[in-house]
Amino acid sequence: MSAADATKPAPKAEQKTEDEKTDLSEEDKQLQEELNLCVERLMESDPNLYTPALRTLGNQIRASTTSMTSVPKPLKFMKPHYGTMKQVYEKIVDEDIKKECADVLSVLAMTMGEGRECLQYRLQSDLTKIGEWGHEYVRHLAGEISAEWTEITGDGENEVQLKDKLIQLSRQIIPYNMAHNAEAEACDLLMEIERLDLLEQYVDEDVYQRVCLYLTSCVPYVPDPENTTLLQTALLLFRRYGQYPQALKLAMQLNDHQLIEEIFTSCPDTAMQKQLAFMLGRQQIYIEINESTAEYEDLVEIMANCHLNNHFLNLARELDILEPKIPEDVYKSHLENTRPQFGGSQVDSARQNLAASFVNGFVNAAFGQDKLLMEDGNKWLFKNKEHGMLSATASLGLILLWDVDGGLTPIDKYLYSSEDHIKSGALLACGIVNCGVRNECDPALALLSDYVLHNTSTMRLGAIVGLGLAYVGSNRDAVLTLLTPVFSDSKSTMEVIGMAGLACGMIAVGSGNADVTDTIMQTLMEKSLCHLGRQEAVEAIIVALEVIPEPFRSMAVTMVEICAYAGTGNVLKVQHLLHICSEHYDSSDRDESKSDKSSKDKSSKEKEDKEKDLSGRQAIAVLGIALIAMGEDIGSEMAFRTFGHLLRYCEPSIRRAVPLALGLISVSNPKLGILDTLSKFSHDSDSEVAHNAIFAMGLVGAGTNNARLAAMLRQLAQFHAKDPNNLFMVRIAQGLTHLGKGTLTLSPYHSDRQLLSPVAVAGLLATLIGFLDVKNIILGRSHYLLYTLAAAMQPRMLVTFDEDLNPLSVPVRVGLAVDVVGQAGKPKTITGFQTHTTPVLLAHGERAELATEEYNSLTPIMEGFVILKKNPDFNP
């Protein structure tokens, strides 16, 4: 209703009401006359008539504003009198009556006022008893409060008073909202006036979960300092109501070690502490706990993931997939309708054998059995060329993943081999076996420490990358001090130093460890994984990086920035990165740009991934967009579209990075759109784009056994049969698709896609950065970089235990997760479910819930390892 209507001359309004009167029902007429009478009384000069008239008006309006399906009759009939009411208000002298009048005016202003009259009159009246004017009025008021708040700038006396009044009003509105299932609105108001600290007083047992759910789901959409405030508020509420698992989850999201320890040690219940330990183990955070703690050994073992291997093998036994597979089971080349080549027998090429070593490692990952290496390994190893042997031996580590106790014996014999590459591979394998698992005897440290400064650089590489993987995310000083001398050692080649930087970065991932940063800064390797998810804390580092010579500088700066904001969905950073991507170099006319490109190609052929121009920075920016946006669905949808544009219009270096970025947006989540796009680029004329697209297909389908993807890859294998490089990539992608026979995932997100594991991101990034210069690194001699993916491998299973940690089989429903933020009542959280008994596999975006009343789970997030408690109220 516009201002013009309210200020129309009175006679017209009367004519209009005359016409309306004819088609009003009896009661409406009566109501209208009553209201007109009240207004007339107010126009008279006798103050005694005012109070009853205002009371009648108020009661009429109150009686009708309870439900808001259409504009309530009294408000409609009062429309012509709004201006009159304002004049009446001005002439009233008595304070109390004036307040009552303001009360009524404030409600009328909701439909007729201009500007913020509703709020102004409310501030003139009592600040209490808001609720009785109905829900719609409260909402309207809340909107005006937040608008008013943003406009208050000064710190004068008046402003401070106004702020106090607004806060007083808000304190009225919030309990009203809480009582009427409008928790989201209450939170919004407090977020607008920046007083989330008030929330605690008004939240009770019944609503805290909905409030916290709303707060945490707002996190990706608010600017920087505010997102942590939201998390901290939710965390406070969870702790207040003894919800330790959720509190711990948020503390891990905040990446605040002190808080994590506090929550863990303050938990009184041992079973619950074990559950928390499982969560810490999954995020690979290890806290030193007091040895006098009850069940100390159990807790330490759980946190160190020592049991991961046995539980995984239990799952395999249940699913009946213990039988080792050979690469041919994955290739299924008998389905291809190709005639055997001339000469009948297949040529045994080293490149294909190398691919087979990887595939064999990926497919049998963590199963502890395979058919190539376990039975007579040497025969297979010597089918590979020198650096191929390194990777072939290291694949043994993948097969024995997480099996620290039993896994080192089979590898041990290769440490005494005469071949340096095999020895180095065995060292790397030792590291892989320890990946993500801690052991108090530190076998990896003991075995590998002697080789870090070994005379041959091959041995060094194996030992260094092995250490990086074995202690990824642990921030262990002992390991870091061991690696530091490598940087300054005269015998270290660039490759060794690079790997040492990578290893240090992986060990200190997400900790912002100052010593590591200094060391890496001095030798400058652009490996900034230390700062994964540290956000603001990187500003100082970026300034320090400004002193490095140019081609590395921009890469290093961009690298630090993208790692710092990994998975935050930070829109501003994404825009900044897109800006970097859109810079074209010197294309004032066509010919020049062509020569520019050819010079670029030459420069990228200069070995080492240190391109002399800025295109490296752009490639990293592209990966950065994916890294930041993968946190939330809307962001990744938008990134997907943006990448489409980048592919069509950008420089070759960007085009090469885009398929990798597409892979990173949806790791282990084979969405059709992304698969189709990648499959289109796997036939690209630029061979590097094709290589990367094929690898990205493997990444997107990692561990899913996706049938459609498997068929696509088989077709590609046929298409590229003559091109060894592309075929190598196809084989790798096939191996990834069947990772761990379809039981593992590479996705860095877990716990209902809320938590980002910095360790997993470090593993993925290390591999992807390697692919930015695919020809020299992955297809050259450094293909062992693929093993950094081991850091991201996690079983995608749900295993349930009783309180003594014995596996328990219970029925669970597994279905697609549904977002239920802010919905009324108790909506279903999953849809299209099937009932299975645990242990079960969970695909991307699936959620499980117990299908029995007999047990209660200790954590609301049914994922990974969950401890169940008998339900005391259960009667079968």
Side-chain angles (χ1 to χ4, degrees):
M1 308 227 175
S2 68
D5 298 22
T7 51
K8 266 189 191 158
K12 262 194 189 167
E14 272 168 28
Q15 283 169 21
K16 207 168 100 194
T17 45
E18 287 302 324
D19 300 342
E20 275 182 9
K21 266 188 187 162
T22 51
D23 46 312
L24 290 180
S25 64
E26 281 300 312
E27 42 190 83
D28 286 358
K29 270 190 192 155
Q30 196 187 340
L31 174 67
Q32 191 173 20
E33 274 157 16
E34 212 172 303
L35 294 174
N36 289 352
L37 185 70
C38 290
V39 177
E40 275 163 26
R41 286 225 183 118
L42 289 171
M43 307 263 299
E44 289 170 25
S45 49
D46 179 5
N48 298 334
L49 295 173
Y50 292 169
T51 320
L54 284 169
R55 294 259 160 87
T56 321
L57 267 179
N59 292 336
Q60 288 292 356
I61 295 176
R62 270 186 217 126
S64 67
T65 45
T66 44
S67 82
M68 272 286 185
T69 40
S70 58
V71 177
K73 290 271 166 28
L75 290 182
K76 204 154 135 196
F77 297 144
M78 286 301 290
K79 193 164 169 254
H81 305 303
Y82 182 59
T84 336
M85 289 293 294
K86 279 205 226 170
Q87 290 158 11
V88 170
Y89 174 71
E90 295 306 325
K91 74 173 191 194
I92 294 176
V93 201
D94 185 323
E95 279 299 310
D96 295 343
I97 303 179
K98 206 162 173 132
K99 277 190 177 169
E100 281 207 27
C101 188
D103 220 2
V104 175
L105 263 173
S106 173
V107 180
L108 293 179
M110 173 166 67
T111 53
M112 309 164 210
E114 43 200 85
R116 300 208 190 93
E117 288 187 327
C118 178
L119 180 61
Q120 283 156 13
Y121 286 119
R122 171 46 65 198
L123 292 174
Q124 301 303 324
S125 161
D126 284 338
L127 296 183
T128 51
K129 290 197 276 195
I130 293 179
E132 57 192 35
W133 294 105
H135 191 81
E136 203 57 33
Y137 174 64
V138 175
R139 284 183 62 171
H140 188 88
L141 205 53
E144 293 199 353
I145 290 178
S146 56
E148 185 74 32
W149 187 273
T150 46
E151 284 177 21
I152 303 179
T153 44
D155 278 336
E157 189 110 337
N158 297 348
E159 280 93 346
V160 175
Q161 275 181 339
L162 182 56
K163 279 192 170 182
D164 283 348
K165 273 191 170 173
L166 290 180
I167 286 176
Q168 256 179 300
L169 255 181
S170 307
R171 282 171 182 270
Q172 295 293 317
I173 294 177
I174 286 151
Y176 179 85
N177 277 343
M178 289 295 180
H180 292 80
N181 291 332
E183 299 89 0
E185 284 166 34
C187 298
D188 284 341
L189 178 58
L190 286 176
M191 272 147 69
E192 285 296 331
I193 65 169
E194 296 163 12
R195 287 302 301 272
L196 273 172
D197 47 353
L198 300 176
L199 192 58
E200 228 191 321
Q201 312 162 17
Y202 302 111
V203 174
D204 59 12
E205 196 80 24
D206 306 323
V207 296
Y208 77 90
Q209 287 198 297
R210 300 181 49 159
V211 171
C212 292
L213 180 64
Y214 182 71
L215 289 176
T216 45
S217 43
C218 286
V219 172
Y221 306 109
V222 295
D224 242 347
E226 222 171 296
N227 48 18
T228 33
T229 328
L230 287 179
L231 287 173
Q232 281 156 348
T233 315
L235 193 141
L236 207 67
L237 290 172
F238 277 139
R239 286 189 70 178
R240 195 169 128 194
Y241 290 104
Q243 297 293 324
Y244 291 98
Q246 285 116 310
L248 185 70
K249 184 174 93 176
L250 295 181
M252 295 199 284
Q253 213 171 328
L254 286 164
N255 200 355
D256 179 340
H257 273 263
Q258 211 178 340
L259 201 57
I260 293 173
E261 282 192 37
E262 212 176 291
I263 293 171
F264 187 80
T265 42
S266 67
C267 175
D269 175 16
T270 7
M272 183 64 90
Q273 262 188 325
K274 287 181 193 168
Q275 180 63 63
L276 297 182
F278 275 125
M279 291 170 70
L280 288 172
R282 176 67 180 85
Q283 184 74 343
Q284 301 193 9
I285 294 174
Y286 187 85
I287 33 188
E288 301 295 336
I289 48 178
N290 199 335
E291 297 200 9
S292 57
T293 319
E295 315 224 9
Y296 169 76
E297 304 217 322
D298 272 0
L299 290 176
V300 171
E301 268 186 18
I302 294 174
M303 247 185 296
N305 281 329
C306 300
H307 54 284
L308 195 53
N309 188 260
N310 322 343
H311 296 318
F312 181 67
L313 291 175
N314 280 343
L315 171 83
R317 208 165 293 123
E318 289 278 327
L319 298 175
D320 195 27
I321 45 174
L322 280 175
E323 184 63 26
K325 280 184 163 16
I326 51 171
E328 180 49 43
D329 295 339
V330 174
Y331 301 162
K332 299 204 167 70
S333 45
H334 58 274
L335 297 176
E336 297 168 10
N337 46 3
T338 45
R339 282 180 311 191
Q341 284 148 354
F342 178 68
S345 68
Q346 273 285 305
V347 187
D348 209 16
S349 89
R351 165 111 313 164
Q352 285 317 304
N353 286 345
L354 177 59
S357 309
F358 276 115
V359 172
N360 181 47
F362 285 143
V363 171
N364 295 311
F367 280 88
Q369 280 301 322
D370 81 316
K371 292 193 170 153
L372 293 184
L373 291 162
M374 285 300 192
E375 287 158 23
D376 181 16
N378 282 329
K379 198 165 93 188
W380 176 254
L381 292 182
F382 284 105
K383 282 187 180 174
N384 289 289
K385 287 206 187 104
E386 39 187 323
H387 50 271
M389 290 180 182
L390 194 160
S391 285
T393 323
S395 69
L396 203 54
L398 269 186
I399 293 162
L400 296 162
L401 194 61
W402 308 317
D403 182 9
V404 181
D405 302 329
L408 297 173
T409 333
I411 299 173
D412 193 51
K413 58 181 184 205
Y414 296 110
L415 286 173
Y416 307 111
S417 157
S418 53
E419 251 318 316
D420 270 355
H421 287 95
I422 292 184
K423 266 161 110 172
S424 175
L427 292 171
L428 179 52
C430 292
I432 296 174
V433 168
N434 283 288
C435 181
V437 180
R438 271 172 175 250
N439 193 314
E440 55 271 22
C441 24
D442 279 334
L445 193 52
L447 280 169
L448 303 180
S449 53
D450 313 342
Y451 296 96
V452 171
L453 292 170
H454 196 276
N455 290 335
T456 60
S457 65
T458 317
M459 299 292 285
R460 280 188 185 190
L461 282 176
I464 288 170
V465 180
L467 277 173
L469 280 172
Y471 293 100
V472 60
S474 65
N475 201 5
R476 288 276 295 275
D477 286 342
V479 191
L480 292 171
T481 42
L482 185 69
L483 288 174
T484 319
V486 179
F487 291 106
S488 45
D489 189 65
S490 54
K491 293 206 188 93
S492 298
T493 60
M494 259 334 256
E495 190 179 12
V496 172
I497 292 182
M499 284 307 140
L502 176 65
C504 285
M506 287 181 74
I507 294 169
V509 67
S511 65
N513 187 316
D515 303 344
V516 180
T517 318
D518 294 345
T519 318
I520 298 183
M521 296 284 311
Q522 284 158 11
T523 50
L524 195 115
M525 288 315 300
E526 66 276 48
K527 301 290 187 268
S528 51
L529 293 170
C530 298
H531 291 282
L532 209 58
R534 294 299 286 201
Q535 297 190 16
E536 309 278 272
V538 298
E539 302 293 329
I541 315 289
I542 292 177
V543 178
L545 286 171
E546 292 297 314
V547 297
I548 303 159
E550 189 29 78
F552 311 142
R553 180 173 84 200
S554 53
M555 272 179 91
V557 172
T558 315
M559 192 72 158
V560 173
E561 282 192 337
I562 68 172
C563 289
Y565 287 90
T568 54
N570 187 309
V571 187
L572 302 170
K573 280 287 173 232
V574 174
Q575 287 167 347
H576 170 70
L577 294 169
L578 278 172
H579 194 75
I580 294 180
C581 297
S582 61
E583 294 164 8
H584 283 279
Y585 297 110
D586 261 339
S587 45
S588 49
D589 64 66
R590 284 295 162 82
D591 312 328
E592 215 179 287
S593 68
K594 278 198 181 116
S595 65
D596 190 40
K597 274 187 188 151
S598 61
S599 71
K600 236 183 216 155
D601 289 343
K602 275 180 203 139
S603 72
S604 64
K605 288 196 179 86
E606 296 173 19
K607 195 80 167 42
E608 287 295 327
D609 49 332
K610 311 276 189 304
E611 303 175 24
K612 283 280 171 279
D613 49 44
L614 288 181
S615 61
R617 173 187 187 196
Q618 291 187 308
I620 288 180
V622 176
L623 277 183
I625 295 173
L627 187 67
I628 293 173
M630 68 182 171
E632 34 115 24
D633 302 333
I634 301 173
S636 41
E637 285 288 311
M638 284 162 65
F640 178 51
R641 282 193 46 206
T642 317
F643 289 146
H645 302 317
L646 292 179
L647 275 165
R648 291 184 191 90
Y649 309 115
C650 282
E651 319 275 326
S653 69
I654 292 187
R655 292 198 49 188
R656 286 168 197 165
V658 168
L660 299 173
L662 282 171
L664 187 59
I665 301 183
S666 68
V667 179
S668 296
N669 175 20
K671 287 195 200 128
L672 291 184
I674 291 188
L675 279 183
D676 289 344
T677 313
L678 288 173
S679 126
K680 190 163 76 198
F681 290 108
S682 55
H683 302 304
D684 198 87
S685 53
D686 177 344
S687 64
E688 298 199 18
V689 176
H691 297 330
N692 288 354
I694 297 171
F695 174 72
M697 285 167 83
L699 203 58
V700 169
T704 55
N705 281 353
N706 187 296
R708 179 174 179 145
L709 176 58
M712 281 181 180
L713 289 170
R714 278 202 298 278
Q715 276 170 326
L716 275 175
Q718 245 168 299
F719 179 77
H720 290 306
K722 299 278 186 295
D723 171 357
N725 282 347
N726 269 334
L727 190 56
F728 176 72
M729 280 303 161
V730 174
R731 294 308 187 208
I732 298 281
Q734 285 178 311
L736 281 175
T737 307
H738 297 280
L739 185 65
K741 302 179 197 159
T743 55
L744 299 175
T745 175
L746 290 179
S747 173
Y749 280 93
H750 57 97
S751 308
D752 263 350
R753 304 218 28 244
Q754 295 267 333
L755 275 181
L756 174 78
S757 156
V759 172
V761 176
L764 287 167
L765 258 190
T767 310
L768 290 176
I769 300 291
F771 270 92
L772 287 180
D773 186 10
V774 94
K775 283 211 165 54
N776 303 324
I777 299 184
I778 307 293
L779 295 172
R781 304 185 140 231
S782 311
H783 34 71
Y784 54 80
L785 262 180
L786 279 169
Y787 288 119
T788 53
L789 285 176
M793 289 179 194
Q794 283 290 345
R796 48 187 187 91
M797 58 182 178
L798 164 65
V799 181
T800 45
F801 302 110
D802 60 16
E803 293 181 61
D804 302 323
L805 300 190
N806 302 319
L808 195 64
S809 263
V810 292
V812 287
R813 301 189 198 98
V814 179
L816 272 181
V818 185
D819 189 17
V820 293
V821 180
Q823 288 186 18
K826 294 203 168 132
K828 291 263 179 290
T829 50
I830 57 176
T831 170
F833 58 82
Q834 293 177 317
T835 311
H836 302 286
T837 47
T838 56
V840 291
L841 284 180
L842 299 175
H844 181 93
E846 285 191 333
R847 198 181 273 165
E849 55 179 45
L850 285 177
T852 160
E853 301 279 300
E854 195 178 341
Y855 294 98
N856 293 336
S857 88
L858 289 183
T859 163
I861 306 144
M862 299 287 287
E863 204 171 300
F865 303 109
V866 176
I867 300 176
L868 303 179
K869 226 179 183 155
K870 272 273 192 213
N871 183 354
D873 314 328
F874 175 71
N875 40 7

